[in-house]
Amino acid sequence: MAGGGPSSPVPPAHGPCALPLAAKGYRGHCHRVKVAVASWRETKGTPAPQTHAPSPLQVARWIIAPPERRHLDAQERLRLLFAHCPELADIHEMVREFAAMLDQHDAIELPGWLEQLATCGHPTLAGLAKGIREDQDAAVQGIITAYSSGMNEGRVTDVKLQKRITAGCAGIPLLRQRVVLIAHLRRRYSDRATSPW
């Protein structure tokens, strides 16, 4: 109705469940409710879990994470994946072996691990083994020493991030100022993280 009159009401729900739902404010169609409740009836009142295939990135995160830090759901889904794909279970075993080398700073098992990687039948993993063998001395030093280039890589990431944020709209002086400020903030945060207080 024109002239500021009351607006037309929303059409009520249709079907046998219309009155109870309309009294509680539902304005949709009853068919949607039936579809949602059908799975509950099959599982005796509890909603059926929505299961979908995990993404490759999600599976990679589960495999890389230490077993004691994984969520129970991730553990169970990995167990099901390993049952369907034994090759994935073998890859998981090799990842855990490499993680043990890193944790213990012990590279004695590295040659045998590389041989296992090269002969596992996966072209990508064989390529990884070949790449590590080309600079095996550096890989051994990376495993046995407590030092890493992580801080330098972090600085490079900061520079690239600032470069992308400014997207060519800022000159070198502003970029330099932002990178120095981020380095200062990171140092302040790391000092606070190591402080006993």
Side-chain angles (χ1 to χ4, degrees):
M1 176 187 287
S7 59
S8 59
V10 179
H14 300 285
C17 58
L19 291 177
L21 290 176
K24 295 190 178 214
Y26 181 68
R27 298 288 183 243
H29 201 279
C30 276
H31 180 68
R32 289 188 178 191
V33 178
K34 288 179 183 176
V35 170
V37 172
S39 61
W40 295 14
R41 288 185 179 140
E42 293 169 5
T43 56
K44 298 183 179 176
T46 57
Q50 298 293 324
T51 57
H52 58 278
S55 68
L57 180 61
Q58 195 172 17
V59 174
R61 284 180 180 157
W62 291 343
I63 289 175
I64 291 171
E68 62 274 7
R69 293 181 58 191
R70 283 187 207 132
H71 193 271
L72 290 176
D73 179 58
Q75 291 276 39
E76 179 61 22
R77 295 183 78 178
L78 267 182
R79 188 187 65 76
L80 293 173
L81 281 171
F82 295 160
H84 288 291
C85 183
E87 296 171 346
L88 195 59
D90 296 339
I91 292 172
H92 174 258
E93 198 62 37
M94 287 187 279
V95 168
R96 298 310 333 143
E97 288 172 10
F98 188 74
M101 282 189 272
L102 288 174
D103 289 341
Q104 298 163 8
H105 297 290
D106 186 4
I108 293 174
E109 303 292 330
L110 184 63
W113 183 80
L114 289 173
E115 185 62 32
Q116 184 183 0
L117 205 64
T119 58
C120 71
H122 297 284
T124 306
L125 297 180
L128 174 63
K130 181 182 175 189
I132 293 175
R133 280 180 174 152
E134 287 175 359
D135 203 359
Q136 191 165 337
D137 292 338
V140 168
Q141 289 301 314
I143 291 172
I144 65 175
T145 61
Y147 303 104
S148 75
S149 61
M151 187 173 290
N152 294 335
E153 294 295 335
R155 295 291 180 263
V156 170
T157 302
D158 289 341
V159 172
K160 288 181 178 177
L161 176 65
Q162 293 305 316
K163 210 170 148 193
R164 288 189 186 109
I165 288 173
T166 55
C169 298
I172 298 293
L174 178 59
L175 181 62
R176 179 175 178 236
Q177 185 179 3
R178 291 181 71 130
V179 169
V180 169
L181 178 62
I182 284 184
H184 175 70
L185 291 173
R186 279 188 184 273
R187 190 176 303 117
R188 207 164 128 199
Y189 177 76
S190 65
D191 291 345
R192 187 181 305 164
T194 55
S195 171
W197 308 105

